[in-house]
Structure formats: C-alpha cells, structure tokens
Amino acid sequence: MSQQKALILGGRTGLLGQAMAHTLAREGWSTLKPFREELDFFDQKQLEKYLDRHEVELVVNAVAFKNVARAEDEQDQAYLLNRELPRILGSVCSKRDVYLLHFSTGFVFDGEKKTPYTTEDRTGPATVYGKSKLAGEKFLLENSWEKLLIVRTSWLFGPFKTNFVHKILDMAQTKKSIDVIHDQVGSPTNTLDLGRYSLELVKKKTKGIYHVANKGQATWCELASESISCAGLNCRVNPISSRDCHEKAKRPSYSVLDCSKFSIVTGVQVRPWVQALRDYIYYYQDRV
Ligand SMILES: NC(=O)c1ccc[n+]([C@@H]2O[C@H](COP(=O)([O-])OP(=O)(O)OC[C@H]3O[C@@H](n4cnc5c(N)ncnc54)[C@H](OP(=O)(O)O)[C@@H]3O)[C@@H](O)[C@H]2O)c1
C-alpha cells in the first residue's frame, strides 16, 4: 500500500511544524516540507500543481505571523500570513477535497473569562495577532468543507526550536534571578502531544473547531519556576506585572482552553502540562 502524503507548511523551521512532521513520520506518513524556493505558498496555481503532482491527502498549516508584539506594527504582514494564507489554502484544499489541518490560538478570546474557554465561547481578540488569526479562521469557516479542521492551541514548548521554556533554562544557567510575568494565565502545551492529539482528530475525520492543549493551567511565572526546578537549576523567579513590560499589545490575561470536546470525540484524555514539561526537559532539551 502506498504511503499517505502530508504537506506541512512550517515543517522545516517552525516549532509546531517540525513537531507535526516528526509525529506524522512516526505514524507512517510520507512528509513533504518544501523550502520557500521550492514552493510559494501564496501562489495558488503553484500550490494546486504541487498537491496534484504529489497526491497530497493532508495539508498542515503551521505557518503564522506569531510575534504578538511585532504584529502591532506590522499589520499587513500579520494579515498576509494569518488571514490571506488560510484563505488560499482553504480555496485550494476545498476544491480538491484535501484535508486541511489549520492551527489557531487561544488569543482569539478577550481573556476576561475566569474558566477555560470552550469552542462555543464568544471571541473578541484585542491584539492584531489575535484579530488576524480569527480573520483566518472565519475565512475558512465561511467556505467550510468536510475536511476542514481548525485546532486552537496555547503556549507551546517542545523540541527542534527555541521556545519560552528553552529561553528560561538558558537564562537560569547564568543568572541568579530572572523577572517573569505573573498575571497572564494559559495552557502550557508540548508540541509533540499536540501533534499526536491533532492526528487523532484527523484519523477520526473530524471537522470544525477544536481546542487542544495539555491539561491544567499556569502563569508564565509558574511555568518558568517549574521548568527551572525540573532541570535542577538554582535561579530565583521574580514575579512582575504585564504593565511593567510596557508592551503595545494587550495579551489576554486568561487564555486557558477547555479540551473536553476533543476528548469526547477522540476518547483521548489530554495529559497534565507538568508531565509533558518533564518529558520535554528530560529527553529533548539537550537536542534543541
Ligand atoms: N508558539 C505558541 O506558543 C503558539 C500558541 C498558540 C498557537 N500557536 C499557533 O501554532 C502555529 C505554529 O506556531 P509556531 O510557534 O510553530 O510558529 P513558528 O515557530 O514561528 O513557525 C512559523 C513558521 O512559519 C514560517 N513562515 C513565516 N513567515 C513565512 C512566509 N512569509 N512564508 C513562508 N513561511 C513563513 C516560518 O518559516 P521561517 O523560519 O523560514 O521564517 C516557520 O516555519 C501558528 O498557527 C500559531 O498561531 C502557537
């Protein structure tokens, strides 16, 4: 039997894209991760030819303009990547009846809630990043087809590329203390868990919006402290307020995701973020 083929946008260099490529390959998929020079994602005709030539069955979109602070000043670029690209992918994949797994974010919410956000909750992003990601989701949903899957996730860490946890551990090796924000709460998530969980949804041929993250919640401060303690380092974490960072973007103070819809559909319980963090630190941290 020939291998199923997946095209992974962001599969060469992205934090999540590389984890998705790794997970798909482990599950027996043939993974296509073209360089930008090989395939221009924004060229619809080129993209169509590529999908046809390689008989792609699944497209994973892990490309995004993800820098929340920079997006405030580079709105055109943020909308190009976060809204225009999903629009193009939606148009190409729907015509060919190809599965599209598109990643989005808990930053599409306003952060005012105090209990985990469900997929039914009202969106209301305050940042350009959140607004442009929501615009991408809307474009896709307006032209939805049977094989459209949108996975919102949160606060990623994992192998293959630097990330918040990796940066904290780097700093903790040389500093006696570090300042970390204490008034934002999210769902820390291991990219390899997210990869496995997302594939469960694909296997079940699920469509629509799902929230997928590790279980539980933390502040950036708690995530940093747990990482440092797990790595056996000796560095003090000083809690600071978001206001002290003088950032233009107003990040949601609460973006914890309720993943119960995912568990009901797949029968899989997401594991706690602390466990997922330990796996990352023990097994992968040295290899980044
Ligand atoms: N990281 C998080 O904490 C987090 C949380 C919630 C949701 N998400 C979502 O998860 C998804 C993946 O995020 P990530 O953290 O893996 O992002 P990432 O590490 O920044 O990767 C983004 C990927 O997009 C590629 N890219 C950027 N601009 C491009 C362009 N103009 N043309 C082609 N490729 C381009 C990058 O390639 P280059 O390296 O060549 O620039 C990179 O491979 C996104 O949809 C994001 O919204 C992430």
Side-chain angles (χ1 to χ4, degrees):
M1 214 173 75
S2 69
Q3 264 183 315
Q4 289 182 292
K5 286 186 192 157
L7 166 64
I8 303 135
L9 277 61
R12 286 240 162 233
T13 56
L15 178 63
L16 178 56
Q18 291 181 86
M20 283 306 305
H22 177 84
T23 309
L24 281 158
R26 282 187 66 154
E27 293 270 334
W29 286 71
S30 165
T31 55
L32 301 161
K33 303 168 285 180
F35 287 106
R36 286 190 200 195
E37 308 75 57
E38 278 174 80
L39 176 64
D40 177 358
F41 306 147
F42 295 93
D43 183 334
Q44 192 157 330
K45 288 268 167 301
Q46 231 191 82
L47 200 54
E48 285 173 349
K49 275 191 197 151
Y50 191 93
L51 294 191
D52 293 343
R53 189 167 70 243
H54 294 281
E55 297 178 339
V56 170
E57 288 177 50
L58 168 68
V59 173
V60 177
N61 182 24
V63 159
F65 191 104
K66 199 202 61 181
N67 189 314
V68 181
R70 262 184 42 213
E72 298 296 316
D73 296 322
E74 298 175 37
Q75 301 206 7
D76 289 352
Q77 193 61 16
Y79 274 92
L80 181 70
L81 284 166
N82 296 344
R83 182 186 60 189
E84 186 60 12
L85 181 60
R87 187 191 68 73
I88 294 169
L89 294 174
S91 161
V92 171
C93 291
S94 60
K95 263 196 249 162
R96 280 163 174 67
D97 200 31
V98 165
Y99 218 117
L100 174 63
L101 165 56
H102 171 74
F103 284 100
S104 191
T105 167
F107 279 28
V108 295
F109 296 111
D110 62 9
E112 298 301 320
K113 225 183 146 194
K114 296 289 169 267
T115 53
Y117 281 101
T118 71
T119 54
E120 305 304 311
D121 279 321
R122 199 159 48 89
T123 51
T127 60
V128 170
Y129 169 68
K131 286 176 186 163
S132 58
K133 290 293 293 183
L134 183 62
E137 286 184 6
K138 283 191 170 158
F139 252 133
L140 286 169
L141 291 169
E142 274 162 18
N143 303 292
S144 188
W145 67 107
E146 277 307 303
K147 293 178 181 171
L148 169 64
L149 175 59
I150 298 174
V151 170
R152 291 187 188 136
T153 189
S154 160
W155 291 21
L156 300 181
F157 61 85
F160 312 123
K161 185 175 180 179
T162 189
N163 56 77
F164 174 81
V165 172
H166 186 245
K167 285 178 192 157
I168 291 291
L169 294 181
D170 256 5
M171 285 192 280
Q173 275 168 15
T174 54
K175 293 178 185 239
K176 285 207 170 71
S177 73
I178 52 174
D179 295 343
V180 184
I181 289 172
H182 75 85
D183 52 4
Q184 289 172 23
V185 185
S187 308
T189 301
N190 185 321
T191 51
L192 292 178
D193 283 2
L194 175 60
R196 279 193 294 115
Y197 299 151
S198 302
L199 269 195
E200 288 295 326
L201 288 168
V202 172
K203 281 184 210 160
K204 290 242 181 288
K205 303 203 185 324
T206 317
K207 75 169 223 179
I209 299 192
Y210 284 80
H211 287 176
V212 183
N214 280 122
K215 191 174 172 184
Q217 63 179 53
T219 64
W220 290 116
C221 221
E222 287 163 344
L223 178 56
S225 301
E226 188 63 35
S227 304
I228 289 168
S229 131
C230 200
L233 296 169
N234 193 12
C235 173
R236 195 184 139 82
V237 176
N238 300 321
I240 58 162
S241 133
S242 305
R243 275 197 306 271
D244 298 334
C245 297
H246 306 293
E247 232 192 39
K248 205 166 165 187
K250 192 185 171 303
R251 292 164 194 259
S253 53
Y254 185 89
S255 56
V256 179
L257 298 175
D258 178 327
C259 302
S260 48
K261 182 176 163 190
F262 162 81
S263 294
I264 291 166
V265 166
T266 59
V268 174
Q269 296 301 320
V270 294
R271 66 175 175 155
W273 69 263
V274 178
Q275 212 180 330
L277 177 72
R278 285 192 191 131
D279 267 5
Y280 165 57
I281 292 177
Y282 294 160
Y283 297 108
Y284 289 102
Q285 213 252 319
D286 289 342
R287 303 182 205 172
V288 172

